[in-house]
Amino acid sequence: MSKDEIIAAIRKNKPAETALPSIPAFTYAQGELLPTFITMVEAGGGRVIEASSPDELPALASTLFPDAEIIASSLPEIKGNVRLSDIGQPQKLEPVDAAVIRGQLGVAENGAIWASEADCGHRVLPFITQHLAIVLAPEDLVCNMHEAYSRIQVNATGFGLFIAGPSKTADIEQSLVIGAQGARSLAVILLPRTD
Amino acid sequence: MKQHADKAADFLRNEARADWHDEALWFVRAKRDKATHGVPEWETLRELASGIKEHTLSNLDGYLEQFEANARQNGVYVHWASNAAEHNSIVHGILIAHEVKRLVKSKSMLTEECGLNEYLAEHGIEVVDTDLGERIIQLKGEPPSHIVMPAIHLKKEEVGELFHEKLQTEQGASDPKYLTEAARQHLRKKFLAAQAALTGVNFAIAQTGGVVVCTNEGNADMGVHLAPLQIHSMGIEKVIPRAEHLGVFTRLLARSATGQPITIYTSHYHRPKAGGEMHIVIVDNGRSAQLGRQGYRNALKCIRCGACMNTCPIYRRSGGHSYGYTIPGPIGSILTPGISLERYSNLPFASTLCGSCSDVCPVKINIHEQLYNWRQDIAKAGHLPVAKKQGMRWAGLVLARPKWYGAFGKLARWAIRRLPRFMLYNSLNLWGKGRDLPEPPEQSFKEWYHKNRIKK
C-alpha cells in the first residue's frame, strides 16, 4: 500500500529528531490596537465604521448598501430578506447583493477578522455576496496572529477563516484590482459589546 | 532539449520586455522589503519557521499519521499517493464515483507537477483553473511562469487579446479592471456549474486534521463551498504540528510573497459541508527521497512564497519558462536536480550565487549553498557540458601551477590590450558573448607587490 511505502521511506530517510521551538509572546501595547487595526483594514481595501448601539445596525446596513435588493444577514439585529436557514443549495445565494456576518476576533497587525461557519450563516456567503460587512466588537481585537490563534479554536466548526479585505487580484501586469472572485467590498462595523 | 541559458537568451532578445519583467518583479521584492521592515521580530520569525519545519521533517511520519487519524475522525477521506500517476488516478477515481464532469480548481503547484489537468482532460473531465493568473495561462495553453503570479510574463494587451478570443471581451480592450471583471463573470458561471472543487494546500495541521488554503481572490472558497465534493491535494511536506504554528507561517507567507500583511482569505477546512464530501490526497512524488539527501533536505521546508524568484537577478532576466519546470527560480533549481540530475543539470548554474534568495527565504533555506553543492554533484556525475568541463580542466591545470598562472596572466593582459576584437570575441569566448572583458591592469598584484613592498 502506498501509505506504508511512504511512511517506511520517511522513517528510513528522516534526519535525527530536533526540538520543536516554542513561540515567544510578541506583543505590543494595548493602546495601539484600534488605530493599527483601522489602518490595516483600510490598507487592505476595506473601510471601518464605528457604531455605538445594536439599534443602529439596520439603518447602517441601508446606508452601506443603498442599492442592494437582496441582503442576507447572520445577525438577528439585521433581518435582510434571505432566510439563511432555508438555503439548502449554496448556489441559491448567488443573487445576494450584500451580506452581513459576525466576526469573532480582529487582528491589529494585518486587519484580518476571524469568522467561523456559524458566524458566516453559510459557508459560501462571505464569498458569493457582491458586498460584505462584518460586525466586530472592538473589545475583541488582538495584536497579532500568535494571539489570534491562541484565542480561537480552528476546528470548533467544520470551516473557519480570516478575512482581511475585499477579494482582490494583481494577476494582470501587477495592477491591483478589487473584486476578483469574491466580495467586491468590505465594511467592518465596530460595535462595542453591550453585555 | 534547450538549456536554460538558450531559453534565457531567447527571452532577452526583446530587451524592452525583459526590462519590464525585471522591473515588475523587483517592484514585488521592494514591497516585500517594506512589509518585513514593519515587523521588528522578522528575523526571529524566520528562525522559528525554519525550526518548526526542521522539527516536523524529523518526525514527518509521526505527524502525517496523526494528521490522517484526526482528519478521518473529522469525517474526511484520506488517500496516499506515491507518485504523480497515482495521485491523478486517485483524483479521477473520486470524480468517477461522483459522476463529475466539471471540476473547478484553485492554485495548486502540486497538481501542475502531477500533470492533473491534462490527465483529466484526456478522460473527458472539464477542468477550470479559477485563480485569474492560472485561468489566463490555461486559456493560453501555457504553464505558469511563477508560482504566485502565474501570468507575470504576459502584458495586459496580450491578456486582452486572449480574452477577446476566448471570453468575447471588446477588441483592443486591455484595462486590467475591465478584463478582471470579464473573468469574474466567466468564472462565476463555472463555479455555479461545478460538481467538484479541488485546491492545493498551504498548511495541514496534524493536531486537528484540517487543511489551510490562502488566496487573495476567494476562488478556492467559491469552488469548495459551492460544489458538493471537495478535494485537497497536498505534498507530504505541508504538515505542521499544531494550529499555533500557523501564527508564525501566516505572518511570513504573504509578506514574503507579495508584501501584503496577510492574504485576503486564510481558510481552514476541517469537516465537509452538510451533505457534502471532503477528500485529502497526500502525495510523495519524490519528496521522501529528497528527505534522505542530507545536504538538500532543507528544500522541503519551502512554503512556496516565491520571494526567491522575485529577488533573483537571473530569474528576473530570464523568465519562469526558461527553467522548464513547474517551480522555476532558485528554489526550482535546487528541487529539480533531485528529480533528474541529468535532465535539470543546467539549472543550478542559472545563478550568480549572490545569495539573495537565501536572504529573503522566510524559512531560511540555504538556497545558494545548495545551488553550489548541486554543481559539485553534477560535475562528479559527469553531467557538465563539454565547454564547462574543458574550461574547468584547463583552469584547474593553470591555477595549480603558479608559474603557468603568472605567464597566462601576462599573456592575457597583453592580449586584451593588443589583439583585435574579432580574435578576443569569438565562438571560443563563451564568457564574452554578452559581456565585455574587463579593462586589463598594467601589472598583476604580484608584480606590484614585488616592486613596491619587497624591494623596500
Side-chain angles (χ1 to χ4, degrees):
Chain A
M1 221 184 100
S2 293
K3 179 190 168 181
D4 300 334
E5 273 172 36
I6 295 168
I7 294 291
I10 293 171
R11 282 202 185 124
K12 186 169 146 260
N13 290 340
K14 68 180 181 177
E17 182 143 1
T18 58
L20 179 61
S22 55
I23 304 167
F26 301 107
T27 40
Y28 21 92
Q30 295 292 309
E32 295 173 11
L33 282 184
L34 186 61
T36 311
F37 177 76
I38 293 172
T39 308
M40 293 317 293
V41 170
E42 287 170 353
R47 57 179 165 156
V48 179
I49 296 131
E50 297 188 51
S52 51
S53 145
D55 305 336
E56 295 169 27
L57 287 178
L60 205 51
S62 324
T63 338
L64 274 173
F65 312 119
D67 305 322
E69 283 173 23
I70 302 180
I71 297 181
S73 161
S74 70
L75 279 75
E77 294 88 346
I78 298 170
K79 288 277 177 291
N81 46 12
V82 180
R83 277 171 67 105
L84 286 170
S85 52
D86 291 349
I87 299 286
Q89 296 283 319
Q91 285 78 3
K92 295 225 170 79
L93 290 170
E94 204 278 328
V96 172
D97 295 308
V100 188
I101 66 170
R102 187 177 292 286
Q104 277 183 30
L105 165 150
V107 188
E109 72 161 326
N110 53 27
I113 298 167
W114 174 260
S116 73
E117 76 179 292
D119 302 314
C120 295
H122 202 293
R123 288 189 186 190
V124 80
L125 186 61
F127 308 96
I128 203 165
T129 180
Q130 298 293 325
H131 301 277
L132 177 67
I134 306 177
V135 179
L136 178 73
E139 294 88 342
D140 294 329
L141 291 180
V142 297
C143 81
N144 57 32
M145 293 305 287
H146 310 295
E147 215 184 331
Y149 278 109
S150 74
R151 297 268 192 99
I152 60 173
Q153 199 193 329
V154 290
N155 58 346
T157 61
F159 170 70
L161 86 161
F162 285 101
I163 303 178
S167 159
K168 63 166 84 156
T169 182
D171 274 345
I172 301 174
E173 274 199 17
Q174 274 302 291
S175 80
L176 178 72
V177 179
I178 303 275
Q181 322 312 340
R184 296 174 188 274
S185 72
L186 171 71
V188 179
I189 302 172
L190 290 171
L191 176 68
R193 280 204 196 133
T194 44
D195 47 64
Chain B
M1 204 182 83
K2 267 196 169 184
Q3 300 285 292
H4 176 272
D6 303 321
K7 288 190 267 186
D10 292 343
F11 181 86
L12 288 170
R13 230 157 252 141
N14 186 339
E15 203 172 317
R17 194 188 180 93
D19 284 346
W20 166 78
H21 186 266
D22 177 32
E23 279 160 26
L25 286 150
W26 188 253
F27 171 70
V28 185
R29 157 76 211 260
K31 281 203 295 183
R32 172 250 171 226
D33 289 348
K34 202 166 163 240
T36 62
H37 294 161
V39 181
E41 59 269 25
W42 184 256
E43 289 306 315
T44 313
L45 288 175
R46 290 177 71 214
E47 279 297 339
L48 280 169
S50 185
I52 293 164
K53 285 280 185 182
E54 183 116 13
H55 164 81
T56 313
L57 290 175
S58 76
N59 185 20
L60 190 59
D61 50 331
Y63 283 121
L64 283 170
E65 290 193 307
Q66 190 192 355
F67 171 75
E68 181 193 28
N70 287 325
R72 284 190 198 281
Q73 206 133 54
N74 292 340
V76 177
Y77 297 89
V78 180
H79 312 260
W80 298 73
S82 288
N83 50 47
E86 195 178 2
H87 165 264
N88 294 349
S89 92
I90 287 170
V91 171
H92 187 216
I94 302 168
L95 298 178
I96 288 176
H98 289 77
E99 295 176 6
V100 172
K101 288 278 160 209
R102 294 179 304 275
L103 172 77
V104 286
K105 226 180 93 211
S106 70
K107 204 189 284 165
S108 155
M109 287 305 129
L110 175 62
T111 60
E112 295 275 356
E113 172 188 323
C114 293
L116 179 71
N117 286 21
E118 296 77 8
Y119 178 87
L120 292 179
E122 277 167 28
H123 290 81
I125 293 169
E126 182 200 66
V127 183
V128 174
D129 280 317
T130 58
D131 171 80
L132 176 58
E134 289 248 295
R135 186 62 181 148
I136 292 169
I137 56 163
Q138 188 184 33
L139 289 172
K140 211 161 187 318
E142 287 181 356
S145 72
H146 189 287
I147 59 173
V148 174
M149 301 164 283
I152 187 77
H153 59 292
L154 293 175
K155 307 274 276 185
K156 60 185 179 191
E157 290 78 14
E158 292 167 298
V159 179
E161 214 170 288
L162 177 74
F163 277 18
H164 172 64
E165 187 197 325
K166 307 275 183 180
L167 306 182
Q168 289 77 51
T169 53
E170 278 172 52
Q171 187 151 27
S174 65
D175 174 32
K177 211 173 159 184
Y178 169 77
L179 297 174
T180 301
E181 181 63 30
R184 176 185 171 97
Q185 300 303 337
H186 159 72
L187 287 168
R188 282 238 153 188
K189 286 189 207 117
K190 299 292 182 189
F191 284 126
L192 290 166
Q195 299 155 301
L198 188 145
T199 80
V201 168
N202 288 98
F203 308 102
I205 315 161
Q207 190 190 31
T208 62
V211 294
V212 177
V213 177
C214 307
T215 74
N216 277 325
E217 299 182 10
N219 57 312
D221 289 278
M222 279 294 278
V224 164
H225 304 315
L226 283 169
L229 173 65
Q230 69 190 87
I231 306 170
H232 309 279
S233 292
M234 60 175 267
I236 55 172
E237 81 282 22
K238 293 291 171 189
V239 73
I240 56 170
R242 297 195 290 269
E244 66 176 84
H245 299 121
L246 290 168
V248 174
F249 292 108
T250 54
R251 297 188 76 191
L252 290 166
L253 179 60
R255 286 186 174 98
S256 299
T258 58
Q260 292 170 262
I262 189 167
T263 48
I264 297 297
Y265 304 105
T266 307
S267 296
H268 303 57
Y269 307 105
H270 276 89
R271 291 188 282 282
K273 63 182 80 62
E277 241 178 58
M278 176 168 166
H279 294 256
I280 295 172
V281 190
I282 302 173
V283 187
D284 183 340
N285 205 30
R287 288 162 175 76
S288 62
Q290 177 84 355
L291 190 63
R293 294 185 194 106
Q294 207 198 337
Y296 303 114
R297 65 166 61 105
N298 264 351
L300 290 169
K301 292 178 179 177
C302 176
I303 56 172
R304 303 289 189 260
C305 70
C308 60
M309 293 163 205
N310 306 340
T311 200
C312 178
I314 304 296
Y315 175 89
R316 283 187 276 116
R317 297 208 137 263
S318 60
H321 289 158
S322 64
Y323 292 80
Y325 184 67
T326 309
I327 300 175
I331 184 68
S333 301
I334 61 171
L335 287 172
T336 43
I339 298 165
S340 165
L341 196 60
E342 193 177 359
R343 182 161 178 210
Y344 298 109
S345 62
N346 64 111
L347 292 188
F349 293 91
S351 163
T352 62
L353 300 183
C354 72
S356 185
C357 46
S358 306
D359 285 346
V360 296
C361 178
V363 289
K364 299 194 89 159
I365 301 170
N366 55 337
I367 304 175
H368 74 293
E369 289 170 10
Q370 292 195 28
L371 285 166
Y372 176 72
N373 292 336
W374 274 122
R375 293 182 182 186
Q376 322 300 310
D377 290 355
I378 287 160
K380 274 183 217 141
H383 295 312
L384 283 186
V386 179
K388 221 165 243 165
K389 209 186 284 178
Q390 288 305 321
M392 288 298 197
R393 213 182 119 227
W394 283 101
L397 283 172
V398 173
L399 291 171
R401 291 166 178 78
K403 285 216 171 98
W404 287 29
Y405 177 73
F408 266 96
K410 215 170 209 145
L411 181 65
R413 286 193 297 280
W414 174 83
I416 295 172
R417 256 195 308 270
R418 307 282 172 177
L419 288 184
R421 210 177 152 81
F422 76 90
M423 289 184 78
L424 290 171
Y425 296 92
N426 53 43
S427 60
L428 286 172
N429 181 3
L430 291 176
W431 195 90
K433 254 170 82 180
R435 291 167 280 213
D436 273 351
L437 291 164
E439 195 71 21
E442 286 301 317
Q443 56 196 163
S444 72
F445 171 74
K446 202 169 151 190
E447 287 167 346
W448 177 89
Y449 188 78
H450 276 281
K451 205 167 123 198
N452 291 288
R453 289 291 181 272
I454 290 186
K455 275 184 187 165
K456 278 176 194 171

